[in-house]
Amino acid sequence: MSNLEELKREIKERLPDLDVVIGWEQGFDPLRTSPLFMRTAEDVDRLLWGPLCVHNLATYLPGLKGRKVGIVVKGCDGRSVVELLQEKLIDRDQVVVFTMPCEGVLSLRKVQKAVGDLDYVESVETDADGVRITADGVDHLLRFEDVAASKCARCGVHTAPLSDVLVGAADTREAEDDYADVTAFEARPQEERLAFWLSEMDRCVRCYACRNACPLCVCRDHCVAQSRDPHWLSQEDSVRDKWFFQMIHAVHLAGRCTECGECERACPVGIPLLLFKRKMNKEIHELFGYRAGMDVNAVPPLQAFKVEEDNIKERTL
């Protein structure tokens, strides 16, 4: 029995005790998947697992609080579940976590950059040799590392840190994230960095897909983007307001962001939004040695208080 079939069997066994189990199913073409809400055994039969299962399904959990919910997660998704539990945005006894070791996911943008826009995708196959995409009657063979999401190259959490059902052997490989991308950007002259972000914010269409896709952006009813009392942001199509929102978004996620990359993936114009979040995480890691979503019993450093922080020296004597 394959791991996927074993996972389906485990879900079917627990399904009678759950209101719904969230996973992935085939999307509108073989290159895409869609979130799947499983309530029957027939629904479970449509479940997929693999490098095309890109969505972080933990985004749905706060909206389902109070129901008994199962969720299928990758490693980075599992970190988001842990963070939601830490912040008591979901209840542990109401969530059943299913997982298998993850070997990375594809970036659709990288695929499109490599082969161009594909009008009719006939099939997608992944194996040790890479990714084979048959589209418009033409085969495209791509190396997986060339089209994998950037987050996967630095990921050290291939198996969810918290699970109730683990199918397959846990992948304990570790990768040390040195935040090289953030450091390289920090080394650029200030004027160049400013010009870069002004240009990026000018492309923003204020759709807030980044906010809606983020599993930890949960203050939807009180978001500064929509609040009218106080009225933080205007409806002007201005770089100032766009940048203001992104700065607030990044600060709200400091020490909470699990770097699942959904904000960046969901952005319709491809703004590198994860760079904002990783900058904040770099500072949190250097100051507190903390990574979000790794330990359900840990307290995020910005949600705690210590009179004397180890790496913050406020006294001059």
Side-chain angles (χ1 to χ4, degrees):
M1 180 183 294
S2 70
N3 282 351
L4 177 57
E5 293 305 314
E6 174 66 13
L7 178 62
K8 291 179 180 179
R9 186 187 66 79
E10 292 279 0
I11 293 174
K12 287 178 180 179
E13 284 186 3
R14 296 187 178 234
L15 197 57
D17 299 322
L18 301 171
D19 292 316
V20 65
V21 179
I22 315 172
W24 302 272
E25 67 175 332
Q26 185 63 61
F28 66 84
D29 72 9
L31 193 56
R32 295 166 176 84
T33 59
S34 297
L36 169 66
F37 293 82
M38 295 170 275
R39 296 180 174 86
T40 67
E42 290 74 20
D43 293 336
V44 179
D45 290 333
R46 307 206 307 269
L47 178 68
L48 294 180
W49 174 275
L52 300 177
C53 299
V54 295
H55 308 81
N56 185 347
L57 303 175
T59 304
Y60 296 104
L61 291 180
L64 293 169
K65 188 176 182 180
R67 300 183 185 183
K68 191 76 171 179
V69 179
I71 184 170
V72 183
V73 299
K74 307 183 294 295
C76 52
D77 311 339
R79 290 179 61 190
S80 298
V81 173
V82 168
E83 191 68 27
L84 290 169
L85 287 167
Q86 286 179 328
E87 299 181 20
K88 298 180 173 52
L89 294 166
I90 57 176
D91 298 322
R92 182 67 185 98
D93 60 355
Q94 295 293 308
V95 177
V96 178
V97 181
F98 301 88
T99 192
M100 295 195 294
C102 173
E103 297 183 358
V105 297
L106 295 184
S107 164
L108 186 57
R109 279 201 179 89
K110 288 185 178 181
V111 171
Q112 291 172 329
K113 185 176 181 180
V115 301
D117 292 331
L118 303 174
D119 294 328
Y120 178 62
V121 179
E122 300 162 39
S123 65
V124 178
E125 300 176 6
T126 58
D127 55 31
D129 295 326
V131 183
R132 182 184 298 276
I133 301 173
T134 302
D136 306 320
V138 179
D139 285 343
H140 304 272
L141 183 60
L142 308 171
R143 295 194 310 167
F144 187 83
E145 56 266 33
D146 291 338
V147 291
S150 299
K151 64 177 182 178
C152 298
R154 53 181 176 256
C155 179
V157 187
H158 304 281
T159 304
L162 176 72
S163 64
D164 298 292
V165 177
L166 168 63
V167 175
D171 188 336
T172 58
R173 290 177 296 163
E174 295 184 2
E176 183 63 33
D177 186 356
D178 58 4
Y179 291 96
D181 55 331
V182 180
T183 302
F185 189 79
E186 291 173 333
R188 295 163 67 173
Q190 181 176 345
E191 296 79 6
E192 186 177 323
R193 284 179 279 152
L194 176 61
F196 173 83
W197 284 119
L198 290 177
S199 175
E200 291 298 314
M201 291 299 102
D202 191 46
R203 298 193 298 117
C204 173
V205 296
R206 294 187 70 171
C207 66
Y208 300 116
C210 54
R211 176 197 65 183
N212 297 341
C214 175
L216 277 305
C217 196
V218 294
C219 50
R220 304 287 171 80
D221 294 337
H222 307 282
C223 179
V224 295
Q226 296 169 310
S227 173
R228 293 298 173 262
D229 185 19
H231 195 176
W232 292 103
L233 291 172
S234 76
Q235 295 303 303
E236 295 178 5
D237 184 31
S238 68
V239 170
R240 179 197 63 183
D241 281 4
K242 297 171 185 177
W243 201 0
F244 184 40
F245 169 75
Q246 291 298 344
M247 289 297 98
I248 291 176
H249 191 196
V251 171
H252 280 187
L253 288 165
R256 303 172 62 234
C257 174
T258 57
E259 299 184 24
C260 68
E262 285 294 87
C263 56
E264 189 168 302
R265 185 187 67 82
C267 178
V269 295
I271 298 173
L273 296 168
L274 192 54
L275 186 59
F276 279 133
K277 317 303 189 305
R278 283 179 53 75
K279 165 62 177 174
M280 300 306 297
N281 275 3
K282 175 176 176 286
E283 302 301 325
I284 294 294
H285 187 263
E286 290 176 354
L287 281 174
F288 305 108
Y290 179 81
R291 292 181 68 201
M294 298 301 296
D295 180 2
V296 72
N297 296 313
V299 178
L302 297 188
Q303 296 182 32
F305 173 76
K306 289 173 64 177
V307 175
E308 297 285 349
E309 292 287 354
D310 296 337
N311 294 324
I312 301 177
K313 308 302 180 183
E314 296 181 326
R315 300 184 180 184
T316 57
L317 297 179

